[in-house]
Amino acid sequence: GGFQMMGATLRDPHHVESSADGEAGLGLLPTETIFCEEKQTARVRGTHLESGAEVSGYEIHMGQTSGGQRPAFEITERLGNEVAEMDGASAAGGRLWGTYIHGVFDSAAFREHFINSLCAEKGVSPIAEAKNTDLHENLDRLAEAVRGNLDINAIYDVMASAK
């Protein structure tokens, strides 16, 4: 999540998400999102344009985003039907990107490209391959390690006081 808020502008003419007609986004991507009254949900397959890695996942969003001059993915299948649609946006030479596809990191080929891009940027040796392991199990292990080494209640207190 977060693709829409990364853009420059969020418009809500039907007041789907709030009572405001619109708000400024974070301005990280040159996009504008217009919220729609109907939620879009679909299983999709596609390709990461920079790496050629195949990805799959699902879309779930309330709006349409436009204006990104550099899409990040091409959707090749939606709900079992062949399509050819650009998705997402990228900036900063591909270092910053957003997409409507939830689950792109489930693709081992995409994870390998993503990790090796970061390695190259930092002068670190690339990984040999991103193992096709249970991503959710590994994320759960990471979350447990973080919880075990941080005072989560103190973090919750800070978050609550910032409201």
Side-chain angles (χ1 to χ4, degrees):
F3 172 43
Q4 294 173 330
M5 75 170 86
M6 292 172 72
T9 309
L10 301 151
R11 302 211 184 280
D12 195 356
H14 306 289
H15 299 218
V16 173
E17 295 289 331
S18 76
S19 59
D21 290 332
E23 295 287 337
L26 296 172
L28 301 172
L29 295 170
T31 60
E32 174 183 75
T33 296
I34 300 176
F35 290 110
C36 304
E37 294 180 278
E38 195 170 313
K39 185 176 282 192
Q40 306 294 315
T41 59
R43 295 279 312 159
V44 297
R45 293 187 158 299
T47 304
H48 180 239
L49 295 173
E50 183 179 321
S51 68
E54 291 186 18
V55 297
S56 64
Y58 64 94
E59 297 174 318
I60 182 166
H61 54 93
M62 293 292 291
Q64 294 298 318
T65 301
S66 61
Q69 294 89 356
R70 290 190 54 212
F73 296 87
E74 179 181 13
I75 305 290
T76 56
E77 181 183 303
R78 177 177 283 109
L79 297 171
N81 298 311
E82 192 173 314
V83 297
E85 300 172 5
M86 294 297 120
D87 171 78
S90 62
R95 188 163 192 256
L96 177 66
W97 54 271
T99 180
Y100 274 132
I101 307 170
H102 295 256
V104 295
F105 286 104
D106 289 348
S107 163
F110 178 74
R111 281 197 316 273
E112 181 178 327
H113 167 77
F114 182 79
I115 292 167
N116 283 335
S117 294
L118 296 175
C119 289
E121 187 175 307
K122 297 297 181 185
V124 175
S125 297
I127 62 171
E129 71 178 89
K131 294 187 171 98
N132 204 2
T133 59
D134 184 341
L135 178 63
H136 298 288
E137 180 182 312
N138 287 333
L139 290 174
D140 289 342
R141 283 188 19 233
L142 175 61
E144 285 302 316
V146 169
R147 280 189 206 99
N149 290 285
L150 292 176
D151 185 348
I152 294 296
N153 289 329
I155 292 171
Y156 289 151
D157 290 343
V158 169
M159 289 170 40
S161 69
K163 289 184 178 181

